[in-house]
Amino acid sequence: MEIETAQAERKPVEIEVNMVGKVDYDESRVRTIAAWVPGRIERLYADTVGVRIRKGEHLVELYSPELISGQAEFLQALQSSRQGGNAAGLLSQSTRDVVESARDKLRLLGLQPEQIRTIEETGKVMDHLTIYSPIGGVVIEKHVQEGIYIQTGQPIYTVADISRLWVLLDAYESDLPWVSYGQLVEFFVAAYPGRAFQGTVSFIAPFLNSKTRTVKLRVITDNREDLLKPEMLVHATLRVRPDAQGQMTMPEMAGKWLCSMHPDVVADGPALCPVCGMKLLPAEELGIRTNPSPLLPLVVPASSVLWTGRRAVVYVRVPDKMVPTFEGREIILGPRAGDFYLVLGGLQEGEHVAVKGAYRIDADLQIQAKPSMMNPQGLKIPSGHEGHSMQDNILSGKE
Ligand SMILES: [Zn+2]
């Protein structure tokens, strides 16, 4: 019987996980611009959805009687403070308090400090309030029309900064051992075939979707080039090099510090996140496994493993035999990595296992009613002794 064999060896292998998903807005970069005062919308500068706006650009002109009376109060307080100075030119505390509270009120009504200064200097009441955009981005929703009256807090526009986007991926339960916060993800979109985009896993949902049986992963990606658009479909790939224990590690993160909100912010020591200002934390504190076992994983070709689902068996060549002799052995199998399986126990480095002929050996054993993978007990033969022929194996002893 010609049986091809392969050596169980330690070498780096890669697990590839493929997922699908879609591009979405970064929720932390979506703002609703609302009215701070009740009033009538005189003008909407961004007149259609999709319009690009810069940070600080004017968006809305509002006519607000409340604002006009607020300004009048402010000017009155200023005037009385100017007249009310004592001989030394100093204002009483109470006069100053009145001016400051009138100024605060204007701020709360949504006026910018520069606008309040202009009112103070010119003594003129502005009859329209201009609302400026707090962020740069695109208008993704326009909630009102020109000419209508709105109340405080009523949304006018929703603006999204799309220079950073999310990619939402669906991971199967079985993929979860290979996913980690801070992990790099490569993805592709139909609009730019062949171009690999990159992102970083920033969130792994703490629950499964009961319908799809998948877990949502959130990936942050830079979109300053403006190529990605929300709702684009994405094919993503994660590549993991498992360690000898068959676990995911990210040794490149050892000694690194990350933001718990922005995993793409990585530093060599303690620092503040430039995006959100939070303190960076050591990678290990964020659940990232950085210390792999010093050994490479022990692997055998996937084709050498016979599976029943519960048990994994390989046929190991017995050394120092003139005639090729194999023994079946139950091994502790780790994850599959491409064309290999990791072996976590039951096999030594350097041992040879049957590769393509493994099924033939097993079939042969079944025909002879000897213990095999499909029938680990073999036939109970009352003679009570077991020979040591080619197909005898330690499998029966293990059961
Ligand atoms: Zn941050």
Side-chain angles (χ1 to χ4, degrees):
M1 186 154 50
E2 277 299 311
I3 305 290
E4 198 182 314
T5 64
Q7 212 173 11
E9 54 182 342
R10 295 197 179 272
K11 65 175 192 177
V13 287
E14 206 170 62
I15 293 172
E16 202 182 278
V17 180
N18 294 300
M19 297 177 192
V20 290
K22 63 169 193 166
V23 178
D24 206 340
Y25 295 104
D26 177 340
E27 260 173 37
S28 68
R29 284 160 189 263
V30 176
R31 295 282 166 80
T32 297
I33 292 152
W36 293 38
V37 279
R40 187 177 70 228
I41 293 191
E42 296 282 277
R43 184 117 193 243
L44 290 176
Y45 288 101
D47 50 1
T48 53
V49 165
V51 167
R52 275 171 199 275
I53 48 173
R54 282 187 301 272
K55 184 178 178 174
E57 197 170 301
H58 60 193
L59 280 183
V60 185
E61 213 169 85
L62 196 70
Y63 171 78
S64 166
E66 198 165 314
L67 189 70
I68 291 170
S69 64
Q71 292 174 84
E73 267 170 48
F74 176 58
L75 289 173
Q76 212 159 28
L78 275 176
Q79 206 174 11
S80 54
S81 77
R82 281 177 188 137
Q83 291 161 352
N86 64 14
L90 295 171
L91 292 176
S92 72
Q93 187 61 44
S94 65
T95 314
R96 261 186 304 199
D97 287 348
V98 172
V99 173
E100 283 318 302
S101 76
R103 194 195 301 277
D104 277 347
K105 188 175 173 190
L106 291 184
R107 229 178 347 242
L108 291 174
L109 290 174
L111 287 188
Q112 306 289 310
E114 310 86 71
Q115 292 175 308
I116 298 173
R117 220 169 300 131
T118 309
I119 296 164
E120 193 170 350
E121 281 159 12
T122 61
K124 279 192 188 135
V125 168
M126 298 165 46
D127 53 2
H128 287 85
L129 171 66
T130 308
I131 299 174
Y132 299 91
S133 179
I135 57 170
V138 293
V139 172
I140 58 172
E141 214 171 329
K142 188 178 137 197
H143 303 273
V144 294
Q145 306 300 323
E146 278 181 8
I148 72 155
Y149 278 92
I150 55 169
Q151 297 305 315
T152 306
Q154 198 173 332
I156 303 172
Y157 286 117
T158 304
V159 177
D161 170 5
I162 56 168
S163 66
R164 272 159 78 95
L165 289 171
W166 284 352
V167 175
L168 301 178
L169 298 175
D170 288 312
Y172 287 104
E173 230 178 303
S174 55
D175 296 335
L176 290 180
W178 314 119
V179 178
S180 167
Y181 182 81
Q183 185 178 13
L184 215 60
V185 178
E186 199 177 72
F187 63 91
F188 299 86
V189 295
Y192 310 99
R195 182 180 166 140
F197 292 86
Q198 283 197 334
T200 315
V201 175
S202 68
F203 182 73
I204 302 163
F207 43 78
L208 250 77
N209 178 320
S210 60
K211 288 200 187 84
T212 59
R213 305 301 303 163
T214 57
V215 173
K216 273 276 183 258
L217 301 188
R218 186 193 297 158
V219 170
I220 293 181
T221 188
D222 187 304
N223 191 39
R224 276 172 295 183
E225 276 190 78
D226 209 11
L227 299 176
L228 299 171
K229 299 189 189 307
E231 296 298 324
M232 275 181 171
L233 294 178
V234 159
H235 287 269
T237 307
L238 274 73
R239 288 193 183 82
V240 176
R241 291 207 156 171
D243 71 1
Q245 265 87 54
Q247 285 187 299
M248 173 179 187
T249 57
M250 293 166 66
E252 69 277 12
M253 286 291 187
K256 300 287 184 195
W257 294 60
L258 283 83
C259 174
S260 63
M261 306 277 289
H262 304 101
D264 49 336
V265 173
V266 179
D268 290 324
L272 295 180
C273 172
V275 182
C276 66
M278 274 165 55
K279 278 187 188 163
L280 303 189
L281 296 171
E284 294 79 7
E285 264 181 52
L286 292 164
I288 297 172
R289 211 167 158 262
T290 58
N291 277 326
S293 65
L295 289 173
L296 287 170
L298 181 66
V299 299
V300 291
S303 63
S304 67
V305 177
L306 298 159
W307 255 115
T308 62
R310 217 183 96 242
R311 295 149 20 85
V313 171
V314 287
Y315 286 94
V316 184
R317 182 163 176 179
V318 180
D320 311 321
K321 295 264 182 186
M322 292 291 286
V323 183
T325 306
F326 292 86
E327 58 177 30
R329 199 187 292 170
E330 192 176 339
I331 58 170
I332 302 167
L333 213 57
R336 185 174 178 148
D339 294 333
F340 298 93
Y341 269 113
L342 273 71
V343 179
L344 304 181
L347 199 64
Q348 298 298 314
E349 186 179 357
E351 286 189 292
H352 285 82
V353 293
V355 184
K356 287 180 186 136
Y359 277 99
R360 266 163 54 201
I361 299 175
D362 200 68
D364 196 31
L365 289 173
Q366 286 184 67
I367 291 162
Q368 295 184 39
K370 295 279 178 77
S372 77
M373 179 194 83
M374 302 311 289
N375 178 17
Q377 303 302 331
L379 262 189
K380 299 266 187 278
I381 299 162
S383 72
H385 85 273
E386 284 178 331
H388 291 278
S389 70
M390 163 180 162
Q391 289 91 0
D392 275 327
N393 55 74
I394 58 169
L395 197 63
S396 52
K398 282 203 164 184
E399 284 294 317

